[in-house]
Amino acid sequence: MIVNRLLFIIVQSPDAQAVAKALTQNHIRFTQITSRGAFLNLGNTTFMIGTDHTTIPSILSIVEQHSQEREILAQRGYTTLHPDIYAYPTTVLVGGAIVFSLPVERYIHLI
C-alpha cells in the first residue's frame, strides 16, 4: 500500500458511527480518536487515515455523505473576550467535517 497523504477528518460525534461504518464498508482503514471542541465544548471524533492521494476524493465523498450540518442552541452562555460582556445562548451551525491533508515523507509498517 502506498501512503503519501495523512488525513485528519473531524466530525461531530452524532455522525461518527455512520462515517466509521461507511469507511469500513469501503475497506478504508483508519484510527478513530474521541475529541472535544473548545468553543462549544461539544464532542467530536477525529479520524486519522493514511492513504494515497488518488483515494482522497472517494474518502471525502464518503465523509460528506455521512456528515450532517445542523443548527443547535448553545445552551450555556459563555464569556467573551471582555470580562463584563456575557454572550447569551444563541443558535449556531455545527456539523459537516473539517479535513486536514498532510504530506507523508516516509511511511513504515512494522510487523
Side-chain angles (χ1 to χ4, degrees):
M1 174 181 184
I2 297 173
V3 175
N4 57 20
R5 300 303 294 179
L6 177 61
L7 300 179
F8 287 94
I9 302 171
I10 305 166
V11 301
Q12 293 286 302
S13 290
D15 298 326
Q17 186 175 3
V19 171
K21 182 177 179 181
L23 290 172
T24 302
Q25 288 174 341
N26 286 277
H27 308 288
I28 297 168
R29 297 179 181 177
F30 58 88
T31 297
Q32 186 173 334
I33 302 169
T34 303
S35 53
R36 183 164 299 281
F39 180 63
L40 294 174
N41 201 30
L42 296 175
N44 301 314
T45 296
T46 301
F47 293 92
M48 292 186 343
I49 303 172
T51 189
D52 184 283
H53 71 278
T54 60
T55 61
I56 291 175
S58 60
I59 293 170
L60 295 181
S61 176
I62 290 167
V63 173
E64 186 175 15
Q65 290 172 20
H66 295 89
S67 299
Q68 306 300 317
E69 186 176 62
R70 58 188 66 80
E71 191 174 271
I72 66 164
L73 178 64
Q75 295 290 339
R76 299 181 303 186
Y78 48 90
T79 57
T80 59
L81 295 177
H82 191 279
D84 295 333
I85 299 174
Y86 185 79
Y88 292 99
T90 185
T91 56
V92 292
L93 285 175
V94 298
I98 303 294
V99 179
F100 296 94
S101 175
L102 294 90
V104 173
E105 184 177 311
R106 186 168 71 169
Y107 170 76
I108 302 170
H109 182 181
L110 302 174
I111 300 178

